Amino acid sequence: MKPNKGDLRKAMKSRLQAVSAAQAAVWSDAVCRRLTALPPYQTASRLMAFLNMKGEVSLDTFLIQALKEGKEVYVPYCFANGHMEAVQMTSLNDVVHGMYGIRVPKEGSPRIAPEQLEWIIVPGLAFDAEGHRLGRGAGFYDRYLQRAPQAAVTAVAWDIQIVPHVPTEAHDYPLPAVLTQSRYMVQ
């Protein structure tokens, strides 16, 4: 029997909690190196990526590199009503903890419309080879990605987050690419 979203979400959270900080850093560094080699990185001048929570790929070194290369970097800012916007980040030194304990740029940072982004990098709890994603259950990314059809989209994860099957519903946004420390799955 295939798992439902709730069961898979619980299992993945447990699996990710077991990853040591040292192992997470090694895997995250590998993902960051691989991201900078992708074609969207070479061509995008405006990208959106996330600031990780525990159990997610840390993109900090990737974001620092992108900023050094003069790219405009935006990160998600979530609102209690389920709405998400992209807010500009100019330095990791200028972030504070916002909703859900997620790091965000300080209040007053410029925002950008989803239609202006060229590349969006997405987190998740689990992914399968068909580009299905299991998020944390609030639907922020599913709604946001529908507003940015022009953007290249890449999910990032560790190999342990790839599962045989992610249950889906009609509102789930299929991902065209998933990158891990050793795999690159393109639809």
Side-chain angles (χ1 to χ4, degrees):
M1 186 167 124
K2 293 180 180 177
N4 65 39
K5 282 187 174 186
D7 291 343
L8 183 56
R9 196 171 276 123
K10 184 177 178 181
M12 292 308 297
K13 285 180 179 179
S14 177
R15 183 182 294 181
L16 292 169
Q17 286 295 322
V19 176
S20 71
Q23 186 64 71
V26 169
W27 289 345
S28 293
D29 284 346
V31 170
C32 288
R33 280 192 307 276
R34 297 188 78 212
L35 273 175
T36 60
L38 294 180
Y41 181 78
Q42 307 305 319
T43 59
S45 58
R46 288 182 305 277
L47 62 92
M48 177 177 164
F50 60 93
L51 295 170
N52 71 299
M53 299 187 305
K54 182 173 174 28
E56 290 181 332
V57 174
S58 171
L59 296 177
D60 289 5
T61 57
F62 168 80
L63 295 171
I64 291 167
Q65 180 69 30
L67 289 167
K68 280 183 186 174
E69 292 185 19
K71 296 182 185 292
E72 288 181 29
V73 173
Y74 297 85
V75 296
Y77 190 98
C78 298
F79 296 89
N81 65 359
H83 183 70
M84 184 169 84
E85 291 193 18
V87 179
Q88 189 170 20
M89 185 192 77
T90 56
S91 170
L92 284 172
N93 296 325
D94 292 333
V95 298
V96 296
H97 289 276
M99 192 167 154
Y100 304 118
I102 299 170
R103 294 177 294 159
V104 295
K106 291 180 180 171
E107 190 68 35
S109 298
R111 298 177 184 178
I112 190 172
E115 301 82 15
Q116 294 179 287
L117 291 165
E118 297 164 294
W119 190 25
I120 301 173
I121 301 167
V122 179
L125 290 173
F127 304 88
D128 65 24
E130 286 77 43
H132 300 128
R133 170 185 173 269
L134 179 71
R136 295 187 179 271
F140 284 104
Y141 278 96
D142 292 313
R143 288 187 297 277
Y144 191 85
L145 293 172
Q146 291 174 11
R147 297 170 44 213
Q150 78 297 333
V153 178
T154 305
V156 293
W158 299 318
D159 289 330
I160 64 167
Q161 293 175 265
I162 307 303
V163 298
H165 173 76
V166 171
T168 60
E169 296 172 43
H171 65 269
D172 292 327
Y173 188 94
L175 299 168
V178 180
L179 178 86
T180 72
Q181 71 268 32
S182 70
R183 298 170 73 177
Y184 185 46
M185 299 175 289
V186 180
Q187 302 313 307

